[in-house]
Amino acid sequence: MKTKPMLVLGIMSGTSVDSIDVALAQISAAPPNLMSRLLNHTSIKFPLAIRREILRVAEQQPISAGELSQLNFRLGKLFAEAALVACKRFRISPNKISLIGSHGQTVFHQGKPVDYLGVPTVSTLQIGEPSVIATLTGVTTVADFRPADIALGGQGAPLVPYADFLLYRHPKLGRLSLNLGGIANITVIPAGATPSQILAFDTGPANMLIDALVSDFTQGRQRFDKNAQLASKGRGIPALLDELLRDPYLKLAPPKSTGREYFGRDYFKKLLTLGRKHRATPNDLIRAATLFTPLSIVDALNRFVLPKTKIHQLIVSGGGARNPLILAQLSAALRIAPVSSAFPSSSFVGAQHAAPHLDKISSDELRNLSSRRGIEILSSTRFGIPEDAKEAYAFALLAYETFHQRPGNLPSATGARRPAILGKIAYAPPL
Ligand SMILES: Nc1ncnc2c1ncn2[C@@H]1O[C@H](COP(=O)(O)OP(=O)(O)O)[C@@H](O)[C@H]1O
Ligand SMILES: [Mg+2]
């Protein structure tokens, strides 16, 4: 059946709280023949006061129910304004847009049950009131995607794998989709995969610790380590990095998801203590936090992915894809990383998962390495998806699926008992 393409806006703000990303997609038909194209994308900065408040709340600092309610409505207005600014920049009238998918701002995520008033409870909270978005833009808005998956026993995350599956599956090539936001997440898409064969999880921090260190050391003058300038001036301290790589989160078997609740303020303080112990300068510590990201990703691949699945390509997106040191370490480690066929899963039990640290490799070895073939690393841009637009695009796709009453979670990725139709629909007021 031929359906008229819909124009859908996806709105995303991740754990970094750096900006509101808006993607415009044209989507038609239905899986497995769903067709979609990213038409445009843009980013809108957060007002500083709101950013500060979100970070404070996401760090689980006290907030009254009244303030949380205010923040929910304020953010709804901000997301609506971002959608309207985006339409202006895209030179498209909002009344041409059929649907908005708004992820909302995560202020709490507890994917595994913990005791709450005597009952093991899983919960998540993304705010940014969708009724406000629908009313101010005049566009029906799907939001609050995660709770339906949790209600079915899942972790409510990750949800982007459904989009990864639609966008990246290939009959012959095994692919990994890696998003480097505040947190790093991977989706494993084996060659010729069906939805139930998709594995996805958070590997650990991507930019969250780096950003926290840079903000602290520069007293807020810089918010992130642009192009790894500071990390590049740092000295490598392999022993510090080894200590970081012993983190218990890395050893947890998937499905697993994490966020500011674990890699936030407390973790950052632990990192400062560790830095003092190893006599690290600020730049040394930024370097260690930067290398921790790719090394923990490769550790996860060696533990949970490569022993079972042949991977040909790694497709990178998110702001961290612009960090040259993360990519250099990833590329060096993946050239040495064991290839699945050579490592049957049994030989991995208790094996070393450690990938070579950039700081332990001599420049001669590095030159040798660059001639070796390994897993090919590609930017999502190569697939028509700019690095900054990937997650917003994913929520446009998820909203489209919800609007057509189709599920958008992958139980193999979230741990839910069944597929769920995600989100809640706030209708635009009648004309
Ligand atoms: N040029 C760059 N060099 C290094 N890091 C960058 C660069 N551009 C963006 N980043 C990092 O990417 C982060 C934002 O990534 P993003 O994908 O938006 O994450 P989130 O989904 O958590 O909002 C920034 O906070 C910063 O750490
Ligand atoms: Mg962001």
Side-chain angles (χ1 to χ4, degrees):
M1 192 180 69
K2 251 181 111 76
T3 53
K4 208 169 153 274
M6 276 173 92
L7 290 178
V8 187
L9 277 188
I11 309 178
M12 177 74 203
S13 170
T15 46
S16 304
V17 204
D18 55 321
S19 56
I20 302 168
D21 302 318
V22 185
L24 174 66
Q26 178 180 293
I27 315 176
S28 60
N33 301 315
L34 184 139
M35 297 211 293
S36 74
R37 203 153 58 92
L38 182 70
L39 300 180
N40 219 328
H41 76 103
T42 191
S43 292
I44 289 120
K45 285 263 159 297
F46 262 106
L48 202 62
I50 298 184
R51 172 168 201 267
R52 275 212 197 100
E53 182 60 359
I54 293 169
L55 286 175
R56 197 185 70 79
V57 176
E59 288 287 353
Q60 308 311 305
Q61 298 299 310
I63 182 167
S64 69
E67 287 167 321
L68 189 59
S69 170
Q70 297 279 54
L71 188 58
N72 181 40
F73 274 72
R74 182 71 191 86
L75 279 181
K77 183 153 183 273
L78 201 62
F79 291 145
E81 287 161 358
L84 293 172
V85 168
C87 285
K88 216 174 228 142
R89 289 186 190 164
F90 302 159
R91 293 173 197 283
I92 185 167
S93 160
N95 64 25
K96 293 270 185 313
I97 310 284
S98 307
L99 192 65
I100 289 177
S102 172
H103 173 267
Q105 184 67 53
T106 296
V107 290
F108 184 71
H109 182 75
Q110 177 59 56
K112 288 238 159 100
V114 292
D115 184 87
Y116 177 67
L117 304 177
V119 178
T121 306
V122 173
S123 82
T124 193
L125 187 59
Q126 285 73 42
I127 60 172
E129 182 48 51
S131 292
V132 174
I133 304 175
T135 301
L136 294 183
T137 58
V139 182
T140 293
T141 299
V142 185
D144 213 13
F145 290 85
R146 302 189 187 275
D149 180 83
I150 291 186
L152 276 168
Q155 299 208 10
L159 296 182
V160 172
Y162 184 81
D164 285 329
F165 175 72
L166 291 176
L167 297 169
Y168 294 146
R169 89 195 118 112
H170 188 281
K172 301 244 165 65
L173 298 177
R175 285 175 167 165
L176 289 171
S177 169
L178 170 68
N179 193 71
L180 298 169
I183 295 292
N185 8 68
I186 56 164
T187 303
V188 185
I189 314 152
T194 58
S196 65
Q197 290 165 330
I198 304 296
L199 173 73
F201 58 97
D202 292 347
T203 57
N207 299 301
M208 193 173 279
L209 295 173
I210 309 170
D211 288 0
L213 290 170
V214 172
S215 298
D216 187 72
F217 293 149
T218 64
Q219 271 124 39
R221 281 190 304 281
Q222 263 173 267
R223 226 191 30 69
F224 67 101
D225 186 17
K226 189 157 191 202
N227 304 336
Q229 278 164 2
L230 301 174
S232 305
K233 289 189 208 134
R235 191 172 42 108
I237 309 181
L240 195 167
L241 208 41
D242 285 337
E243 225 169 301
L244 284 175
L245 286 162
R246 284 201 285 273
D247 190 279
Y249 180 81
L250 272 51
K251 301 192 184 95
L252 275 181
K256 58 177 174 177
S257 52
T258 187
R260 228 167 250 293
E261 299 74 20
Y262 187 74
F263 288 109
R265 196 84 207 155
D266 291 347
Y267 206 93
F268 162 71
K269 285 191 186 139
K270 269 202 318 220
L271 194 55
L272 289 183
T273 312
L274 203 60
R276 278 193 292 274
K277 178 175 149 196
H278 289 274
R279 299 181 188 284
T281 65
N283 288 347
D284 298 345
L285 206 49
I286 293 169
R287 184 180 185 86
T290 305
L291 294 183
F292 182 40
T293 293
L295 288 171
S296 55
I297 292 164
V298 174
D299 179 277
L301 297 182
N302 288 343
R303 269 178 214 277
F304 307 119
V305 180
L306 298 178
K308 286 182 241 151
T309 311
K310 171 87 179 153
I311 296 297
H312 303 84
Q313 293 177 328
L314 173 69
I315 307 165
V316 192
S317 58
R322 289 207 293 271
N323 185 315
L325 191 57
I326 293 183
L327 284 207
Q329 172 66 84
L330 207 51
S331 148
L334 287 180
R335 283 178 202 283
I336 303 177
V339 182
S340 52
S341 56
F343 284 79
S345 42
S346 59
S347 73
F348 253 75
V349 180
Q352 269 287 345
H353 300 288
H357 300 189
L358 214 50
D359 293 332
K360 287 184 190 163
I361 309 176
S362 71
S363 44
D364 273 357
E365 281 173 298
L366 206 56
R367 256 192 301 280
N368 270 340
L369 270 183
S370 54
S371 62
R372 268 171 75 157
R373 279 166 63 93
I375 296 170
E376 189 183 11
I377 301 181
L378 301 164
S379 160
S380 62
T381 313
R382 289 275 296 269
F383 296 78
I385 308 167
E387 288 150 359
D388 287 339
K390 168 71 193 310
E391 295 219 304
Y393 184 22
F395 281 90
L397 285 163
L398 288 173
Y400 177 87
E401 289 300 86
T402 298
F403 189 76
H404 292 95
Q405 297 179 32
R406 291 189 291 263
N409 64 335
L410 295 178
S412 57
T414 63
R417 285 189 294 280
R418 282 186 287 126
I421 300 173
L422 303 176
K424 289 148 198 168
I425 304 180
Y427 286 95
L431 292 173

